[in-house]
Structures are given as C-alpha cells and as structure tokens.
C-alpha cells in the first residue's frame, strides 16, 4: 500500500476526480478526510470507502471560505494529530464567455480555483510540520500550462495554481514538504459532461489529443497518488500533465 497510515485531505471529493482520488487513496491505506460543498455526495463516497474496508470521514466544506478550512483543520488536528497529504482538488469551470464575465463571477472562479489553494496550504503547513514533512498536490489544468480561449478567469486561476505550487515547493522544501501540480486535459467528469456530450466539442477534443481518446478520472487519480506517495520522494515543484499528449503538440 503506497500511502498506508497517512492522513490525507481531499477537497471536492463528492464526484469526478475527487471521488476517484478518495477511493484510491483509501484503497492504498490512507485515512481520507473527504470534503465537498455537497455534503450528501461526499457522505456517499465515504460510505463506499467504509463498505470496502477503508477509513474515511466526510465534511461539508466550501473551499472559498477560510472559516470552513479552519473547521476542517480543527477536526483533523483533534482527531489525527497532524496531516500527511493535502490534495487541493476542488474547482469550478467557466461556462460563460469572457465578454459576459461579471466581477462577481470572476471573483467566485478565482476564489474557488486558486484562493482555496492558498487557504488550504497556509493552514495545513503547520499540521504537516508536526509530522516532519508532507506532500501537497494541487489540481490545475492544461489551461494553466498553455492558456485557452473563451475562459479567461478559469485560465488565470489555473495558471495561478501552477506558479503558486512552485513558490510553495521553494518555500517549504526545507521542512520536508513537497508540492506539485497536476494538469488534467480533456477528462470525462460530471463537471465536464456538458462539453463532452456535445458531439462538436467531443470531436474537437479527440482531434487535438494525440492518444485520440478522452481521459478518465481514475487516470488522474493514479497520477495524484504517485506524486503524493513516497514513490515521488525526490519530486517537488513539478507540473504533471495528464492529458493524452495535448500539451505535447
């Protein structure tokens, strides 16, 4: 088991990539603190983990709220005494065009996608130091590597996650804390369903993916597990694209 005995927080664990990450980490021996703004969904994931013999707890969590983060960490510290792994997975897309973007929507997208990482890392570092180190994996996007059209707030927020990851890796390497980012490509998840189920979009995604297939949430979860585990003990500050080759073009 690659993360046996480790305590891990996974945000956005109620569905999609977060769900797959939570299930996989539990299968690999971790105690999973699964959080999501959708309490019913994340409770169902924890029930699934427990039925399979794993250990997990569920918490309702708005990642754009500092007070919610504080509540999560208070629970983790009082129950487990520290934190080994943080997976900042929660995020949101930008369905509207840049022309239609409002100040309120810009703030929401940036807060959910990037400010949440700031909160999670800043408040989590002390608990990792109690363990003598730890691993942070931030979920960005290929949009954070190469940009994109029509989704300026999303692209800006994911680019910010990429560079914030590098800053954290530099600042906390001395404490034995690693920090890496994962950049999914065209992955089939509930959040992406509106795009993936549109024949015109789907054809474009496939045409621009060298492996000529869409990615699955389980494939992203495997990459996250690798970076979080001791298998990646000498890896920090990297950006790992899980994109079927999109960014290789």
């Amino acid at each position: 088991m690659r993360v046996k005995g480790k305590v891990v927080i996974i945000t956005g664990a109620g569905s999609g990539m977060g769900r797959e990450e939570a299930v996989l980490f539990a299968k690999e021996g971790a105690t999973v603190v699964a959080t999501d703004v959708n309490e019913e969904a994340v409770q169902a994931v924890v029930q699934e983990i427990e039925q399979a013999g794993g250990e997990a707890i569920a918490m309702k969590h708005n990642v754009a709220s500092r007070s919610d983060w504080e509540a999560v960490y208070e629970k983790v510290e009082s129950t487990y005494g520290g934190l080994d792994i943080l997976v900042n997975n929660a995020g949101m897309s930008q369905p509207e065009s840049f022309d239609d973007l409002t100040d309120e929507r810009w703030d929401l997208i940036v807060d959910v996608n990037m400010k949440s990482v700031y909160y999670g890392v800043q408040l989590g570092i002390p608990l990792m130091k109690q363990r003598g180190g730890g691993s942070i994996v931030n979920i960005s996007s290929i949009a954070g590597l190469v940009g994109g059209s029509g989704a300026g707030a999303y692209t800006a927020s994911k680019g910010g996650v990429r560079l914030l990851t590098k800053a954290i890796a530099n600042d906390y390497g001395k404490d034995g804390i690693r920090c890496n980012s994962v950049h999914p490509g065209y992955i089939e998840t509930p959040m992406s369903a509106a795009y993936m189920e549109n024949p015109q979009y789907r054809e474009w995604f496939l045409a621009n993916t060298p492996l000529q297939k869409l990615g699955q949430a389980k494939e992203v979860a495997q990459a996250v597990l690798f970076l979080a585990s001791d298998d990646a003990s000498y890896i920090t500050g990297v950006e790992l694209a899980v994109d079927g080759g999109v960014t290789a073009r």
Side-chain angles (χ1 to χ4, degrees):
M1 293 187 175
R2 298 165 74 181
V3 285
K4 185 176 182 180
K6 304 291 188 181
V7 175
V8 54
I9 294 173
I10 301 175
T11 66
S15 65
M17 293 183 295
R19 176 197 171 278
E20 296 297 338
E21 290 154 12
V23 170
L24 179 60
F25 273 72
K27 182 180 178 181
E28 291 287 337
T31 296
V32 177
V33 179
T35 82
D36 200 286
V37 71
N38 186 332
E39 186 174 16
E40 183 178 349
V42 78
Q43 288 283 5
V45 173
V46 166
Q47 184 176 10
E48 178 183 347
I49 289 171
E50 292 177 336
Q51 288 175 345
E55 295 186 29
I57 62 171
M59 294 190 70
K60 185 176 182 180
H61 182 196
N62 172 8
V63 295
S65 164
R66 176 179 282 274
S67 62
D68 273 24
W69 272 107
E70 290 172 342
V72 169
Y73 281 124
E74 286 172 6
K75 177 68 173 179
V76 170
E77 185 169 25
S78 64
T79 305
Y80 306 113
L83 177 68
D84 301 295
I85 300 167
L86 169 63
V87 181
N88 281 306
N89 171 83
M92 66 178 295
S93 61
Q94 180 192 330
E96 66 267 72
S97 71
F98 193 74
D99 289 342
D100 295 330
L101 197 63
T102 64
D103 290 354
E104 291 75 19
R105 285 290 291 175
W106 171 277
D107 288 344
L108 177 62
I109 292 166
V110 172
D111 283 355
V112 170
N113 290 349
M114 185 169 64
K115 196 173 186 179
S116 63
V117 176
Y118 154 58
Y119 285 152
V121 173
Q122 187 185 62
L123 295 173
I125 288 289
L127 275 72
M128 289 187 171
K129 287 182 177 180
Q130 292 175 22
R131 291 281 215 251
S135 178
I136 300 166
V137 182
N138 298 323
I139 307 301
S140 178
S141 165
I142 54 173
L145 292 173
V146 297
S149 60
Y154 178 81
T155 298
S157 65
K158 291 302 187 178
V161 169
R162 168 179 170 261
L163 291 180
L164 179 56
T165 295
K166 292 182 180 295
I168 294 163
N170 277 288
D171 288 343
Y172 296 102
K174 65 183 184 301
D175 299 302
I177 296 171
R178 299 184 296 106
C179 189
N180 297 290
S181 58
V182 170
H183 298 256
Y186 306 126
I187 311 296
E188 292 187 292
T189 69
M191 190 172 79
S192 69
Y195 304 100
M196 300 303 180
E197 294 172 4
N198 180 305
Q200 185 176 1
Y201 281 133
R202 191 179 185 91
E203 182 180 351
W204 189 91
F205 293 147
L206 292 171
N208 285 277
T209 303
L211 287 184
Q212 298 185 357
K213 64 178 183 178
L214 299 178
Q216 301 301 310
K218 289 182 179 181
E219 294 172 302
V220 177
Q222 289 287 353
V224 174
L225 175 66
F226 165 69
L227 288 175
S229 76
D230 289 341
D231 288 349
S233 60
Y234 199 57
I235 298 175
T236 193
V238 305
E239 50 213 22
L240 176 58
V242 184
D243 66 353
V246 173
T247 53
R249 297 174 69 88

